[in-house]
Amino acid sequence: MGVTMYGQMTAGSYCYIGPQGIVHGTVLTVLNAGRRYLGVENLAGKVFVTSGLGGMSGAQAKAAVIAGCVGIIAEVDEAALLKRHQQGWLMEITSSLDHCIAQLRYGSINTFLSLSTFPLSVCRERLLDLGSDQTSCHNPFNGGYYPVQLSFKECKEVLQLILAAINRLSDQGMFFWDYGNAFLLEAQRAGADIEKRGANKAEFRYPSYVQHIMGDIFSLGFGPFRWVCTSGNPEDLATTDFIAKSVLEKAVLQGVTASVKQQYSDNIRWIQEARKHNLVVGSQARILYSDQKGRVAIALAINRSIAEGKIKAPVVLSRDHHDVSGTDSPYRETSNIYDGSAFCADMAVQNFVGDSFRGATWVALHNGGGVGWGEVINGGFGLVLDGSADAEERAKMMLSWDVSNGVARRCWSGNNNAYETICQAMQKDKKLKVTLPHKVVDDNILEQALSC
């Protein structure tokens, strides 16, 4: 009560869980990028080139290993580079482009490479399948992102050169996306050739990863649900992992759509890989992309296990703000909202308020995380499960609202996944009433109306 904090994104709900939060989302992004852009389920031998090995972007190297592709990561900070290598997230370090290309051309497809420098502008042949960037671009005017030896004008020219290289590689067949760091927006501001022909200034030649990859997953109701075992006991976390895996496997056996089944299968795989790769740092916590049905079922099963003494202490439920309903951010989380409301902040605020009187133990509303101040509004929560009947009811009410609110917003904007998902939710819960959009069947209807 009465506590104010500077939270930004993940930690705003007092549930920062270390690197696994971003590793999980990155694994799913890379897997689904392979499906969308390459049409493959198995990424063995496919090459993902990107940049950044810092606090958030450092997850890309480990995610490439888990996803099974070849990851090439460019990084200029030696400390960050060595740290990821010591952690085992990087398999190899090199500053030689020739060595890198030789490894790509002749190396075993089962060898996972993460290299320190990879100048895109001098790539000499078609070796890359997927490309992105996750370096810090979102706050260039507030000191720190421009090297001191370069002028502001020179830095803008460098960004223009980077985009020219990306354009050239994309013409050769590499599929590129903005990884939520305002890369395309800042490139546009720097005068780079990034605009989409025939589109408005808010649209770019390349999509953000939310537009083409994660947005459709959010619209199914899937997002980064998470929990923290307050006992600090690894055995409690192992129990919750088993519960979550069992819930998802049961849901698949009961029958779900093909797209939902794919997401459940990815997350069953994630739970297994997360334990194998020792991704817990600090809190005994887990992140798991799940939909509304899965979140509620997992919460109730964990609450029952606490009541039965199988879990030794309360468990706190939360989620990343980078979720179905948690964040309004027109160049990232809501970049696939095409009805104009991407520039509104109503969804996150409605979640914040709605969660507060549906049972959340605490709520958080804040600005600035991930893409910079003024570009985003985040709404988050924490919910304590203590094994009580009251906690069970709160979980049912709050988690259902927390997901359905965002799915409804995405449905209204015209997303087919969201339309189907919210209709299914209304069939299951007769108290849920969502106004459905009427699809335009004749694109000339507006012109006809205006001419009357």
Side-chain angles (χ1 to χ4, degrees):
M1 293 291 289
V3 175
T4 298
M5 67 172 290
Y6 174 65
Q8 288 226 10
M9 283 289 282
T10 346
S13 52
Y14 296 85
C15 281
Y16 181 68
I17 64 170
Q20 67 169 306
I22 187 69
V23 172
H24 183 27
T26 307
V27 168
L28 294 182
T29 300
V30 174
L31 287 175
N32 284 287
R35 290 168 181 145
R36 178 172 183 119
Y37 298 132
L38 306 178
V40 299
E41 285 289 333
N42 187 344
L43 287 173
K46 301 300 181 183
V47 180
F48 171 47
V49 63
T50 184
S51 59
L53 288 169
M56 294 291 104
S57 58
Q60 297 180 113
K62 174 60 78 174
V65 173
I66 295 174
C69 63
V70 178
I72 301 176
I73 323 294
E75 175 57 61
V76 297
D77 183 348
E78 185 178 13
L81 178 69
L82 294 176
K83 179 178 181 180
R84 299 306 180 196
H85 188 253
Q86 290 165 0
Q87 289 175 330
W89 291 19
L90 294 177
M91 303 304 181
E92 183 177 348
I93 297 173
T94 185
S95 58
S96 168
L97 179 62
D98 290 334
H99 174 73
C100 178
I101 291 177
Q103 288 284 68
L104 287 180
R105 190 188 294 122
Y106 304 118
S108 166
I109 62 171
N110 295 318
T111 300
F112 303 115
L113 299 172
S114 297
L115 300 114
S116 61
T117 59
F118 193 80
L120 291 174
S121 60
V122 292
C123 182
R124 294 190 290 269
E125 54 189 287
R126 165 75 169 91
L127 291 168
L128 311 180
D129 300 291
L130 302 171
S132 187
D133 183 285
Q134 207 180 49
T135 52
S136 299
C137 292
H138 63 273
N139 193 13
F141 308 112
N142 198 23
Y145 294 123
Y146 287 122
V148 69
Q149 70 271 24
L150 298 181
S151 68
F152 183 71
K153 181 175 180 294
E154 288 171 328
C155 288
K156 290 172 66 176
E157 290 172 350
V158 169
L159 196 50
Q160 291 170 14
L161 286 172
I162 292 172
L163 256 297
I166 290 170
N167 291 342
R168 186 161 61 252
L169 290 170
S170 295
D171 289 341
Q172 295 173 8
M174 181 187 78
F175 295 89
F176 182 86
W177 68 89
D178 178 317
Y179 213 152
N181 58 343
F183 180 72
L184 299 180
L185 179 62
E186 294 305 330
Q188 180 192 59
R189 290 169 174 169
D193 180 15
I194 196 61
E195 292 184 6
K196 185 178 181 180
R197 304 294 184 262
N200 62 54
K201 289 188 176 182
E203 293 184 78
F204 305 112
R205 177 181 301 188
Y206 306 107
S208 81
Y209 72 118
V210 174
Q211 277 177 284
H212 273 193
I213 304 170
M214 301 307 290
D216 282 344
I217 294 173
F218 288 161
S219 293
L220 288 169
F222 284 85
F225 181 54
R226 59 177 59 177
W227 59 89
V228 179
C229 299
T230 65
S231 65
N233 189 337
E235 292 181 3
D236 277 354
L237 182 60
T239 300
T240 62
D241 280 347
F242 177 78
I243 289 171
K245 181 171 178 287
S246 299
V247 166
L248 299 187
E249 289 173 339
K250 181 179 179 182
V252 170
L253 289 174
Q254 289 175 339
V256 292
T257 64
S259 54
V260 170
K261 181 179 179 180
Q262 184 179 75
Q263 296 308 313
Y264 278 166
S265 297
D266 284 348
N267 283 287
I268 292 168
R269 171 181 175 180
W270 160 256
I271 293 176
Q272 297 167 334
E273 292 291 332
R275 295 199 66 80
K276 185 167 66 178
H277 286 272
N278 298 316
L279 291 174
V280 171
V281 176
S283 301
Q284 293 296 315
R286 186 66 73 221
I287 184 170
L288 177 73
Y289 268 63
S290 186
D291 59 354
Q292 178 178 323
K293 177 182 177 181
R295 295 185 204 205
V296 173
I298 291 169
L300 299 188
I302 289 176
N303 196 58
R304 284 194 295 271
S305 292
I306 295 170
E308 295 166 359
K310 296 176 182 177
I311 298 174
K312 307 306 180 187
V315 172
V316 179
L317 302 182
S318 185
R319 57 162 168 73
D320 197 335
H321 296 330
H322 180 60
D323 195 12
V324 181
S325 314
T327 296
D328 289 288
S329 183
Y331 295 103
R332 198 163 80 173
E333 279 79 6
T334 47
S335 62
N336 70 326
I337 301 291
Y338 297 121
D339 65 347
S341 64
F343 291 89
C344 301
D346 57 327
M347 183 173 68
V349 174
Q350 288 166 1
N351 256 52
F352 162 80
V353 176
D355 288 351
S356 71
F357 57 77
R358 284 177 173 81
T361 308
W362 65 80
V363 289
L365 184 68
H366 37 91
N367 184 318
V371 295
W373 284 94
E375 303 282 0
V376 57
I377 295 290
N378 306 304
F381 74 88
L383 175 63
V384 176
L385 298 179
D386 59 6
S388 66
D390 179 62
E392 180 173 319
E393 288 305 308
R394 287 169 177 259
K396 289 178 184 176
M397 290 190 298
M398 202 223 76
L399 293 175
S400 296
W401 165 261
D402 194 69
V403 177
S404 282
N405 176 49
V407 177
R409 159 82 168 277
R410 295 170 188 279
C411 164
W412 185 256
S413 75
N415 187 285
N416 290 330
N417 281 354
Y419 187 96
E420 295 171 5
T421 300
I422 205 65
C423 286
Q424 291 169 4
M426 285 192 287
Q427 290 174 1
K428 184 176 180 181
D429 182 358
K430 300 303 181 183
K431 294 181 180 179
L432 178 63
K433 305 293 182 184
V434 176
T435 302
L436 297 173
H438 295 283
K439 297 183 180 181
V440 176
V441 293
D442 182 358
D443 291 338
N444 297 317
I445 192 168
L446 180 59
E447 184 176 338
Q448 294 170 13
L450 293 175
S451 65
C452 293

